[in-house]
């Protein structure tokens, strides 16, 4: 969930906070200039002024479809998102995508349009003073779940998912549990053979236990209010060849549980991943180190009651509360394999590293930079559509990165060089403004010296007279020379990430060079 900062609110910044700039923007291909006094901070001040932004004097109402349809003009614009109706007329002048984009959903359910770009945008926080009420639609009542009546000798029989969506998705997962004097083991049967530890996200907060398993484009969710207390730490094991997941919980007291607990929201359901929302947990800032003059490496530690591993090529959202409003920013975690070889490797997967450029005039990154060691940041579930299967039988890997668009490449580089036996060549073309902007330059050069399959080229757009390397911006000339296959028909993957103009232009140039859509993967965070 997020409130991004629009481009016109933070002009002149090449990346970083600029990916915050799509606040409540259904379509972001065109940004419009905002009037003076219409910044995000101005909007936040307006929402806290006490002014009636709904026109209902604080009342909340149930809205019928007929009533919603009547509010479809600029001065009287209601939009429904996930069953809640908002009067967005006061927000029109603050919207970075312009009035026309909001009007696309005027008087209707805008959830699908909204989700096309940012299902993570925190509209609840941003538009809470514009809330008109809930749609008057009778919810579908799921089949009753009477867990107490199903328990037999501490065992739950395998329960089938009854959601009709499973007919369109993967086979129905199920779960059961068993116990010893000191342990409770929850077993999830996914019926898939490509499940790994990256596919499982587990959180235990108070008595709420939530396990989400990613199965293709779906999420299978176990969400239970546990009947007894457990210790913070637990273990997660995946038996990949049968698609079985075992989560072992430690009892606080050696007593027999008569039941696992009571079901909470979305328990025992298989639903499209895009509909699950984002789950956050608070992570502690462990260290903060300077990498370049304006980029820092942040290390966050997951709570002991969380199991989360961010898959290769995926990102998470960091969330902070700024002036009473939740602000969220997407970042791709990096591995620490490019750091000093003398550093002890982290083996417990409890740490997440982020390379973040600090923008002095930005909204989010200065607040992040002001955090002290020991402070907390909320971190979301992973998002992204990169698939490890894209590496199968890969021979040539080309990486195109600009600025902090380098961050997705770090894990990809490590994984490819370590795990792809068919790989012949990996090349990175890294675009920056000056030499001082190059992230981990010495580490990349050492890696190129150590592993002959890897080559790196630095391209500067504003070099000093002493620079002897390549210079300029992404262009046909640079790419045609750089993208040479090791063999005439070798299998190729090209990954590209950077500011939106860089990525869009790069994709056009790659297509002009006759690379297919399947050979190109772009990252947006």
């Amino acid at each position: 969930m997020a409130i991004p900062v629009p481009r016109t609110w933070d002009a002149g910044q090449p990346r970083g906070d600029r990916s915050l700039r799509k606040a409540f923007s259904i379509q972001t291909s065109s940004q419009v200039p905002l009037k003076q006094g219409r910044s995000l901070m101005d909007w936040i001040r307006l929402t806290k002024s006490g002014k009636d932004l709904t026109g209902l004097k604080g009342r909340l109402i149930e809205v019928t479809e007929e009533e919603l349809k009547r509010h479809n003009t600029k001065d009287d614009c209601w939009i429904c998102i996930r069953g809640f109706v908002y009067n967005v007329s006061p927000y029109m002048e603050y919207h970075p995508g312009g009035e026309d984009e909001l009007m696309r959903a005027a008087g209707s359910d805008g959830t699908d349009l909204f989700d096309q770009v940012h299902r993570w945008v925190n509209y609840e926080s941003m538009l809470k003073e514009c809330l008109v009420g809930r749609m008057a639609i009778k919810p579908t009542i799921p089949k009753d779940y009477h867990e107490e009546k199903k328990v037999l000798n501490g065992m739950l029989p395998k329960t089938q998912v009854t959601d009709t969506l499973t007919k369109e998705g993967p086979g129905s997962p199920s779960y059961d549990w068993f116990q010893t004097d000191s342990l409770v083991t929850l077993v999830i049967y996914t019926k898939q053979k490509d499940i790994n530890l990256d596919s499982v996200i587990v959180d235990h907060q108070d008595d709420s236990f939530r396990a989400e398993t990613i199965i293709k484009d779906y999420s299978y969710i176990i969400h239970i209010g546990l009947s007894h207390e457990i210790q913070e730490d637990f273990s997660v094991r995946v038996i990949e060849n049968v698609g079985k997941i075992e989560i072992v919980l430690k009892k606080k007291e050696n007593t027999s549980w008569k039941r696992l607990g009571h079901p909470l929201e979305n328990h025992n359901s298989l639903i499209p991943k895009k509909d699950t929302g984002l789950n956050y947990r608070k992570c502690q800032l462990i260290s903060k180190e300077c990498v370049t003059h304006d980029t820092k490496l942040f290390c966050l530690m997951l709570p002991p009651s969380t199991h989360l591993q961010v898959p290769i090529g995926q990102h998470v959202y960091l969330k902070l509360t700024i002036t009473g409003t939740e602000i969220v920013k997407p970042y791709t975690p990096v591995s620490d394999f490019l750091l000093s070889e003398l550093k002890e490797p982290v083996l417990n997967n409890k740490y997440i590293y982020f390379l973040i450029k600090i923008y002095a005039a930005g909204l989010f990154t200065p607040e992040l930079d002001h955090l002290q060691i020991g402070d907390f940041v909320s971190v979301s579930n992973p998002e992204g559509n990169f698939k490890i299967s894209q590496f199968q039988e890969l021979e040539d890997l080309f990486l195109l990165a600009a600025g902090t668009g380098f961050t997705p490449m770090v894990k990809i580089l490590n994984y490819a060089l370590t795990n792809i036996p068919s790989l012949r060549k990996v090349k990175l073309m890294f675009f920056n403004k000056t030499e001082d902007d190059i992230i981990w330059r010495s580490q990349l050069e050492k890696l190129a010296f150590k592993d002959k399959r890897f080559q790196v080229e630095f391209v500067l757009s504003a070099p000093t007279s002493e620079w002897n390397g390549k210079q300029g911006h992404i262009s046909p000339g640079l790419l045609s020379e750089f993208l040479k296959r090791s063999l005439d028909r070798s299998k190729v993957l090209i990954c590209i990430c950077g500011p939106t103009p860089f990525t869009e232009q790069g994709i056009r140039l790659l297509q002009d060079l006759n690379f297919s859509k399947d050979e190109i993967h772009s990252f947006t965070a």
Side-chain angles (χ1 to χ4, degrees), residues 123-304:
Y123 58 88
E124 297 104 325
S125 176
M126 184 173 185
L127 297 177
K128 60 185 176 183
E129 299 302 326
C130 299
L131 179 62
V132 171
R134 186 190 292 269
M135 287 296 294
I137 300 175
K138 186 176 181 180
T140 302
I141 300 175
K143 291 183 179 180
D144 289 339
Y145 180 85
H146 300 294
E147 185 177 2
E148 294 83 358
K149 298 180 181 179
K150 296 182 179 181
V151 177
L152 180 63
N153 298 325
M155 278 295 278
L156 268 180
K158 296 180 184 179
T159 53
Q160 296 300 314
V161 178
T162 57
D163 196 308
T164 56
L165 289 170
T166 61
K167 296 176 181 178
E168 302 169 9
S172 300
S174 60
Y175 80 97
D176 60 25
W177 68 284
F178 59 89
Q179 62 180 310
T180 65
D181 288 344
S182 60
L183 303 174
V184 170
T185 300
L186 179 69
V187 183
I188 300 173
Y189 304 92
T190 69
K191 304 179 183 177
Q192 306 291 321
K193 292 187 177 181
D194 56 352
I195 299 297
N196 53 45
L197 284 173
D198 289 355
S199 307
V200 188
I201 305 164
V202 183
D203 289 284
H204 172 238
Q205 299 178 17
D206 299 322
D207 68 340
S208 171
F209 178 86
R210 187 181 190 275
E212 179 176 349
T213 304
I214 310 304
I215 305 174
K216 297 183 170 61
D217 294 324
Y218 287 75
S219 289
Y220 177 60
I221 297 173
I222 299 295
H223 195 189
I224 297 172
L226 296 175
S227 61
H228 294 71
E229 291 185 347
I230 62 172
Q231 298 180 35
E232 281 190 326
D233 59 319
F234 52 79
S235 64
V236 180
R237 176 172 174 248
V238 174
I239 300 90
E240 295 186 19
N241 60 338
V242 294
K244 185 171 73 170
I245 300 164
E246 294 181 352
I247 305 171
V248 181
L249 313 176
K250 301 176 183 177
K251 297 178 179 179
K252 272 200 173 180
E253 296 181 356
N254 292 348
T255 183
S256 177
W257 292 19
K258 293 182 179 179
R259 61 191 182 99
L260 187 58
H262 60 275
L264 300 176
E265 182 183 10
N266 289 328
H267 173 62
N268 195 25
S269 63
L270 179 68
I271 55 181
K273 191 172 184 299
K274 66 181 180 64
D275 295 335
T276 58
L278 290 175
N279 197 43
Y280 284 86
R281 71 281 304 153
K282 290 186 176 180
C283 299
Q284 191 172 35
L285 179 62
I286 299 301
S287 65
K288 181 171 53 174
E289 302 174 9
C290 291
V291 177
T292 70
H293 64 100
D294 61 0
T295 303
K296 295 186 178 181
L297 180 68
F298 291 77
C299 177
L300 300 180
M301 183 174 66
L302 290 165

Side-chain angles (χ1 to χ4, degrees), residues 12-14 293-294 357 401-404 430-439 458-464 467 470-473 499:
Q13 297 179 5
H293 64 100
D294 61 0
K357 181 173 285 190
T404 49
F430 195 2
F431 293 80
N432 286 279
K433 188 175 181 180
T434 69
E435 284 188 80
D436 291 339
D437 295 316
I438 301 175
I439 300 170
F458 302 109
V459 183
L460 302 182
S461 60
T464 63
W467 175 252
K470 295 186 184 324
Q471 53 185 288
H473 299 275

